[in-house]
Structure formats: C-alpha cells, structure tokens
Amino acid sequence: NENTILPIEYDSIHRISYSSDRNNPKYALHKNGKFAIANSLCRKITPLKYEKVCECGGKMNNKWCIINDTGHEHSDFIYDDISYCANDSILVKINNLYGVVGSDGHIILPLEYDNIHRIWGHELLEVKKNSKVGIINKEWEEILPLRYDKISVYEDAYVVECDGKSILYDTNIGVLFTSKSEGIKHLKGGLFSVLSNGRYGIYSTIECRLILDCIYDEINSYGDGINASSHDWNIKLGSS
C-alpha cells in the first residue's frame, strides 16, 4: 500500500541484520551523520545518535555498546568491536582480545582469546589462544581442548594437527586414526586419505575402519569418484 512507515527524511536506510534472525531484520537509519536502528516493522527503536550501528549495537566516541532487540543499551561503550556470533550471542573485542556475551551483556566466554570465529554450517566456534586452537559447540561446551595447532571440521569428524601428528578424531568415539603431520586429507563425505608407513589408504568415518589398506602411492578424489594408484597400476572407485 502507499502508507508511509518511516517519514521521508533520512539520508539513507539499509538492512544491517543478515545472520541473527532472517525473518526479523533490522535497519540502519542515517540522517545528518547520525544513525538509529529500526526493527523489522521499520519502527525506530533507538535514538538517532550513534556514529555507526550494527544488528547488535551502536558506536559512539569510537567505542561500541550492546543494544538488544527492543533498543535498550545493555552495556557501556567499552568494546572496540562487536558482531553477531550465534544463538543470540555477540562476539566482542577489547584490546585485541575476544570473548562472547549475551544480548543482555552477560559474559558467556571471557575476553581472553586471541581470536574467535564461527565455523559456518556446523554451529561451532574455533577459539585461539597462545597459538593453539580448540572448538566450542552451541551449548558453549569445549568439545576439543585448546591444545591443537590446526583443526579442520568435517561432517562426521575432525582432522587435528598436534605435536607433529595428524589425527582423525570423532568427539563421540575419540581418536580414529593417527598419521604424521599433514598425513590425513579429506576426500569426500566420510572418506579420508590416510598415510601410514609411506603408503596411503582410505578410512571411513561412517564404518570407523580402513576400507582400503595403506598400500597405495597416491589417493585423490576426482568428480564423483576416487583414484588410488601405485607405481604399476591404479584403481578407480565410483561414487557408489
């Protein structure tokens, strides 16, 4: 219809929420160098006073505060940076240290990490401290301790690098296979190329066993299949 929801007085209006709640977006209202936040109904929920706004906060004097869905400020202007994290939580930064707080400002993860980033598609966070990384789930439980050099996350398992070793790991079962550093590579689905005594095989995290012995010089995935080759011969495994 032709009803005016917001008065035609703003220099710009743009969407600022993409990750927290796609069905209830928020908008930044800009006028004369100041910003306010509007809700999904395009109703202004904060004063037009901020230097900058995001879906979870406002910035003044180069510091951020947390703002909830009704426009209430739930912290002082103390953060160097903030961004939406997961499950109604906010990633915050002070003096190059990261933590996570709730939308009401309560501390979920303390400000002690060198980095925190969301692993998209898995509802997991990778946290880093003193050059070591770990994994925290959506219930804020540590499922991989902060002791690894590198962690790669897959649908059925993790590949972790630690103490010169590459480890295929399942959080419910534990260690599935151990190889030398960088000796485990994901092929596709629950299949991994694993190195043992200088030869490659295939480990299935679905069956929790080697399905191809470590007797090959090279194993690679291609298209819908996998190629396992030795010096004198090779085999191709189809997608089935």
Side-chain angles (χ1 to χ4, degrees), residues 179-198:
S179 180
K180 71 175 188 178
S181 180
E182 304 294 334
I184 300 176
K185 305 292 184 183
H186 181 244
L187 295 170
K188 57 183 60 184
L191 301 179
F192 292 79
S193 167
V194 295
L195 179 65
S196 178
N197 297 321

Side-chain angles (χ1 to χ4, degrees), residues 4 27 61 64 160 179 194 202:
T4 300
Y27 300 90
N61 298 319
W64 289 87
V160 299
S179 180
V194 295
I202 296 178

Side-chain angles (χ1 to χ4, degrees), residues 125-142:
L125 294 179
E126 180 182 278
V127 294
K128 183 176 184 180
K129 184 177 181 181
N130 298 326
S131 299
K132 298 295 183 181
V133 293
I135 297 291
I136 292 174
N137 66 15
K138 64 181 180 180
E139 283 79 33
W140 311 111
E141 300 167 333
E142 183 184 77

Side-chain angles (χ1 to χ4, degrees), residues 76-221:
D76 296 328
F77 290 85
I78 59 173
Y79 299 110
D80 298 325
D81 199 10
I82 65 174
S83 61
Y84 176 77
C85 185
N87 299 329
D88 201 29
S89 66
I90 300 163
L91 177 65
V92 295
K93 176 184 177 184
I94 297 179
N95 296 329
N96 292 320
L97 292 177
Y98 294 83
V100 176
V101 301
S103 59
D104 60 357
H106 77 277
I107 295 174
I108 297 174
L109 296 178
L111 275 148
E112 61 180 30
Y113 298 98
D114 300 323
N115 197 12
I116 299 175
H117 75 265
R118 187 176 179 182
I119 302 174
W120 295 100
H122 293 277
E123 296 188 316
L124 299 171
L125 294 179
E126 180 182 278
V127 294
K128 183 176 184 180
K129 184 177 181 181
N130 298 326
S131 299
K132 298 295 183 181
V133 293
I135 297 291
I136 292 174
N137 66 15
K138 64 181 180 180
E139 283 79 33
W140 311 111
E141 300 167 333
E142 183 184 77
I143 59 174
L144 286 179
L146 200 65
R147 54 165 293 193
Y148 299 104
D149 301 315
K150 180 182 177 182
I151 299 175
S152 299
V153 180
Y154 302 99
E155 182 177 354
D156 299 311
Y158 305 86
V159 176
V160 299
E161 301 287 334
C162 181
D163 300 328
K165 296 179 181 179
S166 187
I167 303 168
L168 185 59
Y169 190 86
D170 183 294
T171 54
N172 295 316
I173 300 172
V175 175
L176 301 176
F177 196 94
T178 301
S179 180
K180 71 175 188 178
S181 180
E182 304 294 334
I184 300 176
K185 305 292 184 183
H186 181 244
L187 295 170
K188 57 183 60 184
L191 301 179
F192 292 79
S193 167
V194 295
L195 179 65
S196 178
N197 297 321
R199 294 294 182 94
Y200 291 92
I202 296 178
Y203 194 98
S204 168
T205 57
I206 298 173
E207 298 183 30
C208 295
R209 66 179 183 90
L210 276 172
I211 61 169
L212 209 59
D213 291 336
C214 294
I215 58 175
Y216 300 93
D217 296 313
E218 188 176 3
I219 295 178
N220 296 295
S221 60

